[in-house]
Amino acid sequence: MFMIFGKPAPLLFGQLLLGIINGSFYAMLSLGLAVIFGLLNIINFAHGALFMVGAFVTWGLLTYLGIDYWGALICAPIIVGGFGLLLERVFIRHIYKLDILYGLLLTFGMAELLQGLFTNYFGSSGVSYNAPDILNGVVNLGFMYMPVYRGFVIAASVIICGVVWFLIEKTRLGALLRAATENPTLVQSFGVNVPRLIALTFAGGVGLAGFAGVLAAPLYSVNPDMGSDLINTVFAVVVIGGMGSIGGAIITGFGLGIIEGMTKVFYPPGSAVVVFVVMVIVLLSRPAGLFGKVA
Amino acid sequence: MTLFGFSRAQTIAFGILLILIVVSPLVLYPIFLMQVMCFSLFALGCNLLMGYIGLLSLGQAAYFGMGGYITAYAVQSLGVTPEIGIVLGGLTGAALGTVFGWLAIRRTGIYFAMITLALAQMVYFFAVEAPFTGGENGIQGVPRGKLFGLISLNHDMAMYWLVAAIFIAGFLLAHRIIHSPFGQVVKAIRENEPRAISLGYRNEQYKWLIFILAGAFAGVAGGTKSLVFGIATLTDVHWPMSGEVVLMVLLGGIGTTFGPIVGALIVIAMENYLASFGAWVTVIQGAIFMACVLVFRRGVIGEIGHRLKQAL
């Protein structure tokens, strides 16, 4: 058998693929967290729960309304984003003037509430969701077999990350967002409706979590805990990357997914904690994170 | 009256607390009361961090849970006496706090919270994998043993007095820490960190020491709880437990002397009496969390103290 570094090539590539998939989710979620943090100055602890809601909405759209995967790919992020808009208008906007830790506590409560509600209705084992037929099956890449759906997830997440990056770094809307991050009062004095911008940014960031939830639905079991398991790792990713830049969040997300996958090949017991070990190393050498500005 | 640095109102409140500790086992289940006291101790430690130096840790479950595991393991498998077991639990919490605190105090605010959460998640994964914790089953059937090798703790009331003694000692210690010269500097750092630094205080060492103390409180609390129930499980080391203790502090009143105890009482009572509603407990806890942040930031004791114009 073809070997690389003393490991069978299919194993290596298989884990690399899984690593990139995990990395796509880290990237999409930490991207949403970074966008929200930039403008609202809060860390959205409910991000993982909203990711979970996205997956359940995908399932619900098919089960109750007969809307298939492709429809869900559009509808679910909008629904989750709309829900986020509601949360921002009803709850979050009241705490902008407080110590930023209250934002974390408020969204922590939201996460618990959402997770509890879904556990009540669906039980902790959750439901299953199948990818559309066209995305089933595998392709032979020559050096390995790749399930089509996994390739699709990677492509979709790379595209969405690219679009968000472009929106924020290269468009007028993005320039407004960045300006409002730097100095909201000044931007408001130019006639920009900053509170609306903030609300829409939250909705957008949360919609991104919803989109990630749609992608995750056929891949993992759709259950109430799926978000909280992921979000703790994503927080470590955010600490490693620092929340200074959009590009940094994307690169760190994919990079850590790959590192995790490789650890699974070379030292399996370490794979669950490798992200945290990297976090410790980064904290010791670059406390502001790889892409962060010194606070 | 300056007993332990208590104000008049605090002396009265402390007196009421002592009376309640003596009287309540006559009307309430000792097991329930012991649980409340263990969690009070846990919350008192968390309050040192949250209330007095202004650091929000979302990873306190790590010290609580590991303290519980080490005490349970030491008493069950190494055959040590319960008081040694609890001391080992506290040392475990302090040791973990030393290492994690050293890392976490490099950042402040939300980064601090995320770092503590991530480190606690690492401890959780360790607890799932490590052989001595028993994985999903936890460590079960931990004997309470004999205190100092003499007094059997199998009777609930014997255990109750031990827990009460540990709780009162912990409470007085926490209060003493805050009302020492060290505590004054700690509060100065909370109020205005740059000014405290400019006065020559090494803010990081103060933060670190408070973090270690909070870990030790959590470790003792976790260890004692594992002996009360004879079990140490993954629940105690998982992230919702970290949220729960923060909720206790928030609900009772951040930075108050008696708040963590009241917060622990309310949360534990709620869990016990709503246990039959399953996951609704989580929903209600989440809702209370949100309500506290939005409209009730002083907490129960903070609010009472504010009305009476007294620091409680």
Side-chain angles (χ1 to χ4, degrees), chain A:
Chain A
M1 199 190 286
F2 181 42
M3 309 283 271
I4 298 174
F5 301 128
K7 299 284 173 186
L11 173 70
L12 194 72
F13 287 122
Q15 289 299 342
L16 183 64
L17 179 70
L18 280 180
I20 298 174
I21 299 253
N22 281 339
S24 330
F25 288 108
Y26 297 160
M28 283 184 287
L29 292 176
S30 59
L31 182 60
L33 284 175
V35 170
I36 292 171
F37 178 74
L39 205 54
L40 282 77
N41 224 0
I42 67 162
I43 274 292
N44 181 23
F45 201 95
H47 217 65
L50 291 160
F51 161 79
M52 175 270 290
V53 172
F56 270 103
V57 167
T58 309
W59 172 83
L61 283 172
L62 182 71
T63 313
Y64 299 120
L65 301 175
I67 296 173
D68 69 356
Y69 182 78
W70 305 107
L73 216 45
I74 311 264
C75 295
I78 295 174
I79 294 171
V80 175
F83 182 56
L85 195 65
L86 192 72
L87 291 179
E88 199 276 342
R89 287 289 86 189
V90 177
F91 300 115
I92 297 175
R93 74 186 170 102
H94 297 292
I95 55 155
Y96 291 138
K97 291 194 181 74
L98 302 176
D99 188 310
I100 57 172
L101 289 177
Y102 282 112
L104 190 63
L105 291 174
L106 179 69
T107 49
F108 189 96
M110 277 182 196
E112 266 199 315
L113 197 146
L114 286 172
Q115 201 170 329
L117 280 179
F118 278 79
T119 309
N120 274 326
Y121 287 108
F122 298 99
S124 44
S125 54
V127 295
S128 69
Y129 186 87
N130 294 321
D133 289 338
I134 192 171
L135 294 177
N136 283 327
V138 290
V139 286
N140 188 350
L141 297 178
F143 53 89
M144 66 175 292
Y145 289 95
M146 182 171 73
V148 177
Y149 187 73
R150 302 203 160 171
F152 172 77
V153 168
I154 295 172
S157 68
V158 168
I159 291 169
I160 197 83
C161 286
V163 167
V164 172
W165 177 82
F166 184 82
L167 265 178
I168 290 175
E169 300 287 343
K170 301 289 169 194
T171 64
R172 195 185 128 73
L173 176 69
L176 270 181
L177 280 177
R178 280 177 289 135
T181 306
E182 291 292 325
N183 193 335
T185 321
L186 194 60
V187 173
Q188 188 141 21
S189 75
F190 285 138
V192 178
N193 187 342
V194 172
R196 192 171 69 191
L197 200 62
I198 288 176
L200 290 176
T201 304
F202 188 75
V206 161
L208 212 54
F211 184 81
V214 183
L215 291 181
L219 212 49
Y220 306 114
S221 132
V222 178
N223 69 69
D225 294 328
M226 66 190 290
S228 61
D229 291 344
L230 194 57
I231 200 68
N232 289 340
T233 311
V234 171
F235 279 151
V237 172
V238 168
V239 173
I240 294 167
M243 277 182 297
S245 86
I246 300 297
I250 300 172
I251 294 168
T252 317
F254 278 102
L256 282 167
I258 292 169
I259 290 174
E260 206 178 48
M262 288 299 93
T263 313
K264 217 166 259 171
V265 180
F266 293 100
Y267 184 63
S271 64
V273 295
V274 67
V275 173
F276 304 109
V277 174
V278 174
M279 182 186 82
V280 169
I281 294 168
V282 168
L283 275 176
L284 292 177
S285 52
R286 279 184 66 99
L290 295 178
F291 299 91
K293 298 164 209 152
V294 178

Side-chain angles (χ1 to χ4, degrees), chain B residues 52-53 174-190 206 210:
Chain B
Y52 295 105
I53 207 159
H175 188 74
R176 192 70 199 88
I177 290 168
I178 295 309
H179 291 82
S180 65
F182 167 80
Q184 297 301 324
V185 180
V186 164
K187 281 185 274 187
I189 291 171
R190 175 191 66 187
Y206 285 87
I210 286 287

Side-chain angles (χ1 to χ4, degrees), chain B residues 2 22 38 42 59 76 88 111 136 144 170 202 211 246 254 263 270 287:
Chain B
T2 52
V22 175
C38 289
F42 187 18
Q76 190 179 52
L88 286 174
Y111 281 98
E136 297 280 338
R144 286 181 186 169
R202 294 172 185 266
F211 198 89
V246 170
I254 300 173
M270 201 171 68

Side-chain angles (χ1 to χ4, degrees), chain B residues 188-203:
Chain B
I189 291 171
R190 175 191 66 187
E191 294 302 326
N192 192 332
E193 192 167 349
R195 192 173 291 174
I197 296 169
S198 76
L199 285 171
Y201 293 110
R202 294 172 185 266
N203 65 324

